[in-house]
């Protein structure tokens, strides 16, 4: 599960106004100082939602929904118990992505594999996988803004549990560490401090930034939990083409797993959009890909031609979670929000697509994963 | 100090402005309320006319909108079916206001218990935390919980009319006047929007009904307005004599109001009366079921996904209603996007009164008005013949060709009724006027309003 980091609003708003990235012009500057101030306010609002998500994860762990000894280490606010409805939703989302990742890692388990987590934020997946698959040959990459990677590394470097897992090769000389590092490279865990949108502007003249240790020749799973959804659809498309064509060119198998909201046009969806807008949060891909079928076609359009599937989290709860596990989870808390839970779960989906020649690792890994019929 | 008379009116004024009253007044109020409620039976008798409301959930501003739409207390006689607290930001103000009104106008407002009126649930879903935040201690929460234990478990509405006197209101924007039944028709259901404009209306014993009919046909999956299945099996027998239902013309059975639904341990209303209700809501048993159960498209009884109470099917409702001479069960407990939802041949209805529930769901809310028997005095059931050829009454199966009405609703139910035969024919349902309303703008009445922030997965 990730507390999906919301990209830095400064960049998002700069982008919305037409400026391609941070640090360059701010687009239409007519609002001047007051717009800077407004952005700071939005920044703060969004950062608080990030810690909110980290808190949701802690709530799930404390109540027994999830087993994640690392969640607490990254949450900065005192834990508050979340509503059963939200705990259930967090559980479904996390276990859905766990399932896809596990099937991938368990297929030809000795072969090297790679995972790239976009906007990973305070996600603990790497550390959990490291415990679960101690001998696996896995390169894990996280990409996020420097402020976020710096915060994460500050935590990693001061906690022994995290530290020993993040430095698998040879522990560094602590005295040589940057006082405030933003990047981290090792044979298994890598943190790249960069603005995702810089991958979208790549061209022949301006190649995309180098991602150290990213291996172009080993099967790669890209993970976006509520990350790409904050970007314009065209930007997302460009970013993925950079991955599919430049970073991980064919025939290396590559896949994408998305977790995003859907169904913007019904009463719940309209309310979601307006509620989030009042918090200055906008989800361009929600309106660009309103239904499950749009999500599938979108994956295909990116070049994930050997599989493009999607299911809403309501179906995932019903069909992916085993009966025994459902019983365990249902027993954790009395849940009085059945209709609301249904609504909420219907409005989020997992979409997964791959390119592997049609008989590669992803085709085999996900052959039995049930998708949803229809739109 | 004592909270009576003018003090009470002062408290009502303060609460109407969404300002909490001091702790000592709450204690006094709760004491008075308990004295009053202890005199009520487990099933309170209520005379029509009455306006029946579903879950409120601390959405104070929407409760004010409800009063605006439905009329104020004591002008309107209200029955609230529980779940006053939790989830919304103003559980305290909402519940205390309702309680003040109960103490002030005991015969004009009835409060029954919902599953959230419980110590255990309120510690999870917000009311406990809200009390702690607003008073700095759990005392007020404790006083309120003591009142919860005394709330009745149900209400029995009698004296409701089978036929509404049509509202003399303008039509809502999308309503086609041609789709409304004749002005002299016997109105079974009418739905009005928050401005009192007629959204649709349809007559009993008529298959040429309002826009609700086409709406239901075009979208069979939509919950309500339900396919306008008349509750009667066939007027061929009943209607023909012109007075087969009795000379009064108003013979609707009573309406049972309960928060959740039925219990496998309860087959008669008298069994509800025998329960010892003055306790925390138990985890199982009849009292728990009444507050937790849900109707569902199943046969018989089923396990509830909520972990308490049961699911019950149409057969259970029809048998219960027949045995207890009920024409309708009104309940709340489940969010319905359209505010109300009739099920099982209109033998049970869910009423939901919290618009945009949790500031997130985007639903509308509804209240249900039942008119008074006698408001239509002298009414005599019209026979088919009286209505004349083209405008004929409902005949068994007569609207089968009227599109494929979703397959399940109408046809299946009608079959069921004919299978059950005359002895099981449901009582004539009461005339039902639904007023549908949306969430109130939070800052509209000069009341303090915290900007609602709904959680999403971000």
């Amino acid at each position: 599960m990730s507390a999906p980091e919301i990209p830095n609003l400064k960049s998002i708003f700069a982008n919305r106004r037409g400026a391609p990235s941070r640090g360059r012009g701010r687009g239409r500057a007519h609002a001047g100082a007051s717009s800077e101030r407004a952005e700071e306010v939005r920044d703060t609002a969004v950062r608080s939602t990030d810690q909110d998500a980290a808190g949701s994860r802690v709530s799930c762990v404390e109540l027994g929904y999830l087993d994640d000894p690392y969640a607490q280490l990254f949450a900065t606010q005192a834990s508050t118990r979340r509503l059963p409805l939200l705990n259930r939703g967090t559980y479904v989302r996390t276990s859905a992505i766990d399932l896809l990742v596990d099937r991938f890692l368990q297929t030809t388990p000795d072969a090297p594999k790679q995972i790239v987590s976009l906007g990973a934020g305070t996600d603990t997946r790497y550390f959990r996988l490291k415990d679960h698959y101690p001998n696996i040959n896995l390169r894990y990459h996280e990409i996020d803004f420097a402020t976020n990677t710096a915060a994460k590394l500050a935590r990693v470097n001061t906690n022994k549990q995290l530290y020993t897992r993040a430095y698998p090769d040879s522990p560094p000389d602590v005295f040589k560490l940057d006082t405030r590092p933003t990047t981290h490279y090792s044979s298994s865990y890598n943190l790249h401090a960069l603005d995702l949108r810089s991958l979208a502007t790549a061209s022949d003249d301006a190649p995309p930034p180098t991602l150290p240790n990213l291996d172009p020749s080993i099967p790669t799973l890209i993970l976006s939990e509520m990350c790409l959804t904050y970007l314009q659809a065209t930007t997302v498309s460009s970013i993925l083409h950079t991955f599919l064509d430049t970073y991980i060119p064919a025939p290396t198998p590559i896949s994408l797993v998305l977790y995003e909201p859907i169904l913007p046009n019904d009463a719940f969806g309209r309310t979601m959009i307006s509620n989030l807008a009042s918090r200055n949060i906008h989800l361009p891909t929600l309106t660009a890909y309103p239904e499950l079928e749009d999500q599938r076609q979108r994956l295909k359009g990116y070049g994930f031609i050997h599989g493009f599937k999607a299911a809403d989290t309501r179906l995932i709860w019903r069909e992916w979670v085993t009966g025994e596990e459902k019983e365990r989870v249902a027993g954790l808390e009395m849940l009085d929000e059945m209709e609301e839970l249904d609504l909420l779960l219907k409005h989020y989906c997992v979409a997964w697509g791959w390119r592997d020649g049609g008989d590669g690792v992803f085709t085999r890994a996900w052959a039995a994963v049930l998708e949803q019929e229809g739109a | 100090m004592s909270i009576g008379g003018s003090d009470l009116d002062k408290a009502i004024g303060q609460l109407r402005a969404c300002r909490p009253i001091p702790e000592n007044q709450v204690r006094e109020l709760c004491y008075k309320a308990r004295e009053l409620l202890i005199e009520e039976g487990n099933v309170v008798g209520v005379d029509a006319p009455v306006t029946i409301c579903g879950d409120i959930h601390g959405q104070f501003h929407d409760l004010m909108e409800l009063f605006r739409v439905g009329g104020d207390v004591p002008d309107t006689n209200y029955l609230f079916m529980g779940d006053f607290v939790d989830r919304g930001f103003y559980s305290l103000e909402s519940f205390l206001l309702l309680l003040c009104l109960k103490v002030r106008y005991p015969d004009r407002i009835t409060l029954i218990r919902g599953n959230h009126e419980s110590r255990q649930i309120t510690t999870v879903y917000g009311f406990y935390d809200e009390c702690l935040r607003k008073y700095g201690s759990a005392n007020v929460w404790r006083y309120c919980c003591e009142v919860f234990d005394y709330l009745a478990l149900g209400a029995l509405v009698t004296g409701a009319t089978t036929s509404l006197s049509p509202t003399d209101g303008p039509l809502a924007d999308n309503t086609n006047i041609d789709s409304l039944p004749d002005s002299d028709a016997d109105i079974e259901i009418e739905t009005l929007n928050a401005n009192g404009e007629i959204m649709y209306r349809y007559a009993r014993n008529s298959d040429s009904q309002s826009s609700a009919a086409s709406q239901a046909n075009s979208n069979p999956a939509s919950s309500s307005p339900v396919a306008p299945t008349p509750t009667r099996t066939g007027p061929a027998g009943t209607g023909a004599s012109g007075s087969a239902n009795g000379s009064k013309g108003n013979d609707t059975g009573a309406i049972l109001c309960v928060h959740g639904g039925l219990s496998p341990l309860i087959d008669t209303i008298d069994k509800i009366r025998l329960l010892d209700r003055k306790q925390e809501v138990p985890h199982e048993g009849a009292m728990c079921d009444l507050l937790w159960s849900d109707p569902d498209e199943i046969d018989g009884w089923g396990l509830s996904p909520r972990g308490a109470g049961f699911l019950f099917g149409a057969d259970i409702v029809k048998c219960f209603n027949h045995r207890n001479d009920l024409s309708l069960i009104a309940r709340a407990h489940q969010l319905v996007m359209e505010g109300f939802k009739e099920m099982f041949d209109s033998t049970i209805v869910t009423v939901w009164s919290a618009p945009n529930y949790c500031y997130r769901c985007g639903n509308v809310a509804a209240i249900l008005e039942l008119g008074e028997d006698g408001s239509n005095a002298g009414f005599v059931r019209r026979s088919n013949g009286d209505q004349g050829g083209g405008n004929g009454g409902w005949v068994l199966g007569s609207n089968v060709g009227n599109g494929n009405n979703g397959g399940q609703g109408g046809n299946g139910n009608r079959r069921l009724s004919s299978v059950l035969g005359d002895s099981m024919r449901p009582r004539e349902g009461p005339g039902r006027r639904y007023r549908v309303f949306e969430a109130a703008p939070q800052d509209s009445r000069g009341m303090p309003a915290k900007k609602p922030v709904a959680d999403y997965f971000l």
Side-chain angles (χ1 to χ4, degrees):
Chain A
M1 161 175 63
S2 106
E5 188 73 351
I6 295 163
N8 187 319
L9 271 181
K10 279 188 177 161
S11 344
I12 293 176
F13 285 103
N15 188 44
R16 286 223 325 259
R17 291 177 197 152
S21 71
R22 280 193 302 179
R24 296 204 210 143
R26 203 157 275 281
R28 288 173 252 149
H30 61 268
S34 71
S35 106
E36 297 266 336
R37 170 96 183 86
E39 281 180 358
E40 273 172 40
V41 171
R42 292 182 200 126
D43 249 9
T44 313
V46 168
R47 284 211 190 94
S48 75
T49 67
D50 173 46
Q51 267 308 313
D52 217 56
S56 293
R57 185 172 28 189
V58 172
S59 171
C60 267
V61 171
E62 286 181 346
L63 290 163
Y65 284 89
L66 298 171
D67 179 22
D68 182 353
Y70 305 104
Q72 183 68 65
L73 300 177
F74 289 108
T76 58
Q77 66 185 13
S79 71
T80 53
R81 184 178 172 146
R82 298 301 201 269
L83 289 176
L85 156 94
L86 290 175
N87 290 327
R88 183 78 70 89
T90 302
Y91 168 82
V92 174
R93 152 211 195 150
T94 304
S95 47
I97 292 178
D98 282 351
L99 182 139
L100 291 170
V101 170
D102 283 340
R103 297 263 168 106
F104 168 53
L105 296 180
Q106 288 160 6
T107 304
T108 53
D110 297 332
K113 296 189 180 68
Q114 198 162 236
I115 292 176
V116 180
S117 177
L118 307 179
T122 53
D123 186 22
T124 59
R125 181 166 269 108
Y126 166 76
F127 300 97
R128 290 191 285 124
L129 290 176
K130 199 71 187 160
D131 289 348
H132 202 226
Y133 303 96
N135 300 315
I136 198 160
N137 188 348
L138 172 68
R139 283 191 185 203
Y140 203 96
H141 302 263
E142 295 183 0
I143 301 180
D144 213 326
F145 291 107
T147 47
N148 297 335
T149 56
K152 191 162 196 175
L153 279 171
R155 198 79 195 103
V156 168
N157 288 338
T158 53
N159 180 279
K160 194 178 171 207
Q161 274 179 289
L162 300 172
Y163 184 85
T164 53
R165 287 163 181 80
Y167 293 88
D169 312 316
S170 55
D173 183 343
V174 284
F175 297 105
K176 285 188 183 160
L177 281 176
D178 279 351
T179 47
R180 184 100 177 131
T182 58
T183 58
H184 171 70
Y185 305 115
S186 76
S187 61
S188 65
Y189 186 50
N190 300 277
L191 274 170
H192 306 276
L194 72 102
D195 182 338
L196 266 180
R197 277 165 308 101
S198 64
L199 310 189
T201 53
S203 66
D204 289 346
D205 307 332
T210 308
L211 299 182
N213 293 342
L214 186 72
D215 188 330
S217 66
I218 57 178
T220 303
L221 183 153
I222 304 172
L223 204 52
S224 163
E225 282 188 67
M226 287 301 292
C227 170
L228 295 174
T229 189
Y230 296 105
L231 304 177
Q232 294 299 328
T234 50
T235 310
V236 176
S237 178
S238 303
I239 292 170
L240 287 166
H241 281 122
T242 300
F243 273 102
L244 282 142
D245 300 340
T246 310
Y247 288 140
I248 316 287
T252 306
I254 183 169
S255 68
L256 172 66
V257 174
L258 291 170
Y259 172 77
E260 298 198 351
I262 49 169
L263 306 183
N265 298 319
D266 61 11
F268 184 96
R270 288 194 303 272
T271 307
M272 167 155 65
I273 289 174
S274 109
N275 278 344
L276 291 177
S278 74
R279 293 161 65 175
N280 282 305
I281 295 171
H282 300 268
L283 308 168
T285 67
L286 170 57
T287 32
Y289 312 107
E291 304 200 339
L292 288 175
E293 186 55 24
D294 302 311
Q295 292 282 351
R296 292 187 197 104
Q297 291 308 317
R298 148 194 201 189
L299 292 171
K300 192 180 175 192
Y302 293 149
F304 298 105
I305 51 173
H306 297 112
F308 35 93
K309 297 176 184 268
D312 68 33
T313 49
R314 184 160 161 252
L315 177 116
I316 288 172
W317 164 254
R318 287 184 183 170
E319 304 292 339
W320 291 20
V321 181
T322 64
E324 196 185 340
E325 178 68 353
K326 271 207 279 276
E327 211 165 290
R328 181 190 75 84
V329 169
L332 293 172
E333 288 183 283
M334 188 179 268
L335 185 105
D336 180 43
E337 312 136 295
M338 298 310 300
E339 303 78 35
E340 201 189 352
L341 176 67
D342 244 24
L343 271 175
L344 195 64
L345 292 183
K346 250 167 57 182
H347 283 81
Y348 287 86
C349 80
V350 174
W352 63 105
W354 64 91
R355 177 198 73 193
D356 69 351
D359 55 1
V361 57
F362 292 110
T363 301
R364 279 176 283 135
W366 293 340
V369 178
L370 186 77
E371 72 160 334
Q372 196 156 343
E373 303 286 327
Chain B
M1 65 148 285
S2 119
I3 184 159
S6 64
D7 279 347
L8 194 51
D9 285 333
K10 230 170 98 183
I12 289 173
Q14 192 166 335
L15 287 166
R16 276 188 199 276
C18 200
R19 289 197 305 272
I21 54 175
E23 182 176 320
N24 60 338
Q25 283 189 26
V26 177
R27 195 185 60 219
E28 193 72 21
L29 170 70
C30 289
Y31 181 77
K32 286 241 150 102
R34 276 202 336 258
E35 280 187 326
L36 203 62
L37 293 170
I38 200 170
E39 298 299 324
E40 291 186 342
N42 291 346
V43 181
V44 192
V46 174
D47 292 327
V50 62
T51 297
I52 299 171
C53 311
D55 295 27
I56 300 299
H57 280 303
Q59 298 185 193
F60 181 85
H61 302 79
D62 300 320
L63 177 60
M64 292 300 103
E65 176 71 2
L66 184 155
F67 284 137
R68 185 185 75 78
V69 168
D72 212 344
V73 185
D75 307 333
T76 300
N77 181 25
Y78 279 105
L79 195 170
F80 285 87
M81 297 190 288
D83 278 13
F84 317 110
V85 300
D86 283 342
R87 308 304 307 274
F89 295 131
Y90 304 97
S91 292
L92 183 81
E93 293 83 353
S94 304
F95 179 63
L96 291 181
L97 175 60
L98 291 172
L99 210 56
C100 274
L101 293 171
K102 174 71 189 172
V103 172
R104 180 73 176 80
Y105 309 103
D107 298 328
R108 299 299 289 169
I109 180 167
T110 304
L111 307 176
I112 66 177
R113 192 171 192 176
N115 63 313
H116 278 260
E117 276 71 60
S118 126
R119 288 164 187 78
Q120 200 192 351
I121 299 293
T122 49
T123 51
V124 176
Y125 286 98
F127 181 52
Y128 174 83
D129 292 331
E130 185 184 327
C131 290
L132 215 57
R133 201 170 59 243
K134 289 177 179 170
Y135 289 95
S137 83
N139 292 342
V140 163
W141 173 77
R142 235 173 263 122
Y143 302 146
C144 291
C145 289
E146 283 164 17
V147 175
F148 294 164
D149 290 344
Y150 287 81
L151 289 169
L153 303 178
L156 198 62
V157 178
T158 49
T161 177
T162 55
S163 174
L164 296 173
S165 15
T167 303
D168 191 21
L171 296 184
D173 279 350
N174 296 325
T175 305
N176 177 1
I177 189 148
D178 297 331
S179 69
L180 296 183
D182 291 349
S183 56
D184 61 343
D186 179 4
I187 304 301
E188 181 180 3
I189 301 179
E190 185 174 75
T191 303
L192 308 179
N193 66 20
N195 299 323
E197 297 162 347
I198 300 162
M199 294 165 71
Y200 46 83
R201 169 190 287 168
Y202 48 108
R204 204 180 292 275
N205 296 344
S206 163
D207 56 1
S208 61
Q209 285 164 345
S210 72
S211 57
S214 52
Q215 216 173 315
N217 279 339
S218 66
N219 185 10
S222 91
S223 45
S224 72
V226 291
T229 314
T231 56
R232 299 160 28 109
T233 51
T238 348
S241 70
S243 60
N245 281 330
S247 52
K248 283 192 300 179
N250 279 301
D251 68 336
T252 187
I255 297 98
L256 176 68
C257 302
V258 62
H259 179 74
L262 298 176
S263 166
L265 300 169
I266 298 283
D267 57 355
T268 65
I269 290 174
D270 279 341
K271 289 209 174 138
I272 304 177
R273 299 185 208 272
L274 293 176
L275 298 171
D276 174 21
R277 78 168 190 268
K278 290 161 189 97
Q279 55 169 325
E280 168 76 349
V281 181
H283 288 156
E284 55 187 20
M287 178 170 159
C288 167
D289 298 343
L290 293 169
L291 272 55
W292 278 92
S293 296
D294 299 303
D296 196 16
E297 302 290 343
I298 57 170
D299 286 328
W301 298 95
L303 285 177
S304 169
R306 296 182 196 258
F310 291 87
L311 301 176
F312 52 95
D315 49 343
I316 303 293
V317 174
K318 292 188 177 188
C319 286
F320 187 87
N321 286 7
H322 177 73
R323 178 159 193 176
N324 292 281
D325 205 18
L326 300 175
S327 58
L328 179 69
I329 295 173
R331 44 90 63 173
H333 196 39
Q334 277 179 298
L335 167 66
V336 279
M337 295 300 284
E338 296 83 2
F340 68 96
K341 178 182 178 180
E342 297 190 349
M343 293 173 74
F344 308 156
D345 231 358
S346 299
T347 51
I348 186 165
V349 61
T350 300
V351 179
W352 182 264
S353 305
N356 195 19
Y357 179 45
C358 295
Y359 316 106
R360 172 166 52 202
C361 290
N363 60 292
V364 296
I367 50 179
L368 165 59
E369 292 179 1
L370 300 179
E372 182 185 7
D373 176 4
S375 64
N376 210 10
F379 165 80
V380 175
R381 172 156 305 288
R382 205 176 279 103
S383 73
N384 288 338
D386 286 346
Q387 285 192 334
N391 211 5
W394 178 267
V395 177
L396 185 61
S398 72
N399 78 337
V400 168
N402 194 7
N404 49 7
N405 54 17
Q408 333 146 330
N411 291 336
N413 288 332
R414 243 171 283 121
R415 260 201 308 281
L416 177 60
S417 333
S418 54
V419 165
L420 292 173
D422 274 10
S423 67
M424 283 294 286
R425 176 180 303 144
R427 295 294 296 263
E428 187 101 312
R432 309 182 287 286
R433 175 175 293 120
Y434 296 100
R435 292 186 187 269
V436 175
F437 60 100
E438 295 180 4
Q442 289 276 311
D443 45 5
S444 56
R445 293 186 180 80
M447 287 176 284
K450 185 170 142 193
K451 185 103 175 156
V453 179
D455 281 322
Y456 295 95
F457 302 119
L458 294 176

